[in-house]
Amino acid sequence: GIQVEQSPPDLILQEGANSTLRCNFSDSVNNLQWFHQNPWGQLINLFYIPSGTKQNGRLSATTVATERYSLLYISSSQTTDSGVYFCAVERNDYKLSFGAGTTVTVRA
Amino acid sequence: DTAVSQTPKYLVTQMGNDKSIKCEQNLGHDTMYWYKQDSKKFLKIMFSYNNKELIINETVPNRFSPKSPDKAHLNLHINSLELGDSAVYFCASSRVTSYEQYFGPGTRLTVT
């Protein structure tokens, strides 16, 4: 199956800092999504982004499908950004495969 | 107005018991999913239904059986529960297959 690697595994930020999370995948995909799992366990869909660039407030994402990676940018981080960020991809088989996640801790 | 809801939120039961988890979505989506998240937070697809038809059936013990009575509901029944079944089970839905997914709050199952 398709392999999904996320880096870094852990990230500690001071409030107000910017950061970049990376997702590499092993094959071409027709579906790529970023999720945030907050400390209470809720999974929130951030972006559906199989290619191109999208922005939503302080978050933005870019997927370069031809080079098999996606980046999630967090700007002016806030404590509410803490949690685990997951990248998930699908290769034409309806099955979304998740990476191991990046755990982000934002300190006040 | 909860989009994807699951019941119960917590489930504590003994080995050997049978239990069910229910999921409902009010988004009008065609596709629903069950995922399992283990203690290391790894998420894995278990099942998916599209318009009440099973389209994903991953390598899951046959003690797990999904049922979709209609497009808005997807239930998960587990027979003869084992310690290794302890996990958080998430239901999700998407408007169509291969599109953005919306997750329920999860059901934390603990088997003792």
Side-chain angles (χ1 to χ4, degrees):
Chain A
I2 194 164
Q3 305 299 312
V4 185
E5 291 183 3
Q6 292 187 241
S7 58
D10 299 281
L11 192 55
I12 298 176
L13 301 169
Q14 204 61 35
E15 205 169 24
N18 302 328
S19 63
T20 301
L21 282 57
R22 188 176 179 104
C23 172
N24 291 335
F25 41 95
S26 60
D27 210 338
S28 58
V29 298
N30 66 315
N31 181 356
L32 188 147
Q33 300 181 44
W34 283 97
F35 295 89
H36 175 221
Q37 187 166 35
N38 64 25
W40 296 271
Q42 179 68 44
L43 274 159
I44 309 293
N45 191 301
L46 298 175
F47 295 103
Y48 168 77
I49 188 167
S51 64
T53 298
K54 288 187 177 179
Q55 178 151 11
N56 184 1
R58 295 180 297 100
L59 300 180
S60 62
T62 294
T63 296
V64 184
T66 52
E67 296 187 21
R68 300 182 187 167
Y69 73 89
S70 183
L71 302 174
L72 178 70
Y73 305 97
I74 306 174
S75 65
S76 305
S77 57
Q78 299 177 359
T79 55
T80 51
D81 295 330
S82 295
V84 183
Y85 289 80
F86 290 102
C87 169
V89 303
E90 178 205 324
R91 177 172 166 64
N92 286 322
D93 61 359
Y94 310 132
K95 299 175 194 173
L96 210 54
S97 295
F98 281 74
T102 293
T103 300
V104 173
T105 303
V106 182
R107 292 188 172 152
Chain B
D1 290 353
T2 306
V4 183
S5 59
Q6 294 179 229
T7 52
K9 191 162 172 59
Y10 299 96
L11 191 48
V12 181
T13 189
Q14 292 186 324
M15 279 195 307
N17 285 348
D18 303 339
K19 289 293 177 187
S20 291
I21 307 171
K22 295 188 175 184
C23 177
E24 178 180 1
Q25 54 96 2
N26 64 6
L27 297 167
H29 288 173
D30 282 353
T31 313
M32 296 184 74
Y33 312 81
W34 278 113
Y35 288 88
K36 180 180 180 180
Q37 186 172 43
D38 63 21
S39 56
K40 292 190 164 77
K41 293 201 177 288
F42 183 68
L43 275 153
K44 186 165 167 50
I45 182 79
M46 299 172 68
F47 302 104
S48 177
Y49 274 77
N50 184 55
N51 278 319
K52 300 199 301 174
E53 180 188 344
L54 183 67
I55 59 170
I56 296 174
N57 185 355
E58 280 296 88
T59 309
V60 173
N62 58 15
R63 298 181 295 101
F64 289 77
S65 54
K67 275 198 173 54
S68 181
D70 55 58
K71 279 195 333 181
H73 296 85
L74 180 62
N75 303 323
L76 183 65
H77 188 76
I78 316 170
N79 289 328
S80 304
L81 278 154
E82 301 178 358
L83 291 176
D85 298 332
S86 295
V88 181
Y89 293 84
F90 284 98
C91 176
S93 74
S94 60
R95 186 166 57 82
V96 292
T97 56
S98 304
Y99 204 57
E100 57 189 321
Q101 295 184 18
Y102 294 88
F103 280 71
T107 295
R108 182 173 293 276
L109 172 65
T110 304
V111 183
T112 61

